[in-house]
Amino acid sequence: MIRVSERTLKHILSKHRDFTVLLGVSSIGELKRLIMDTVANPSEAYADRHGVKYFLKKIDERWINVVVAKDAVKTAHVLRTYRKLRGRRWLQRLY
């Protein structure tokens, strides 16, 4: 089961302002729901050779990228532009 800590959520909300500005996320609870939905229902998912997983979900014209290592969310980003990651040799598409 993938988990996300309160500390990570606070970091994302304060340092990755795109969640507030572009997606209108204004609370820790909203952010957690969005992140957990992205992990549970991604549009695409990849893993690198170190076992780090990248869950991507398209919302309108934006992509959310949630980075997970050792079953814990490490960070999340809103991507303004998205080039398909599957072409990168260090990533394996999971689904």
Side-chain angles (χ1 to χ4, degrees), residues 37-45 54-58 63 95:
D37 181 60
T38 300
V39 170
N41 303 298
S43 300
E44 298 180 20
Y54 304 83
F55 296 89
L56 294 112
K57 184 169 187 115
K58 188 169 185 182
W63 286 83
Y95 45 89

Side-chain angles (χ1 to χ4, degrees), residues 13-54:
L13 201 57
S14 68
K15 301 295 183 185
H16 301 271
R17 303 295 296 166
D18 287 350
F19 280 95
T20 302
V21 175
L22 299 175
L23 298 178
V25 174
S26 60
S27 72
I28 296 283
E30 279 183 278
L31 180 61
K32 184 174 184 177
R33 283 189 295 279
L34 181 60
I35 286 173
M36 297 312 286
D37 181 60
T38 300
V39 170
N41 303 298
S43 300
E44 298 180 20
Y46 299 89
D48 68 17
R49 64 179 176 230
H50 304 289
V52 176
K53 295 176 183 168
Y54 304 83

Side-chain angles (χ1 to χ4, degrees), residues 1-5 8 39 46-48 50-55 65-76:
M1 176 177 220
I2 294 174
R3 63 195 185 290
V4 59
S5 71
T8 299
V39 170
Y46 299 89
D48 68 17
H50 304 289
V52 176
K53 295 176 183 168
Y54 304 83
F55 296 89
N65 179 19
V66 177
V67 181
V68 175
K70 298 181 182 176
D71 293 329
V73 173
K74 297 302 180 185
T75 193

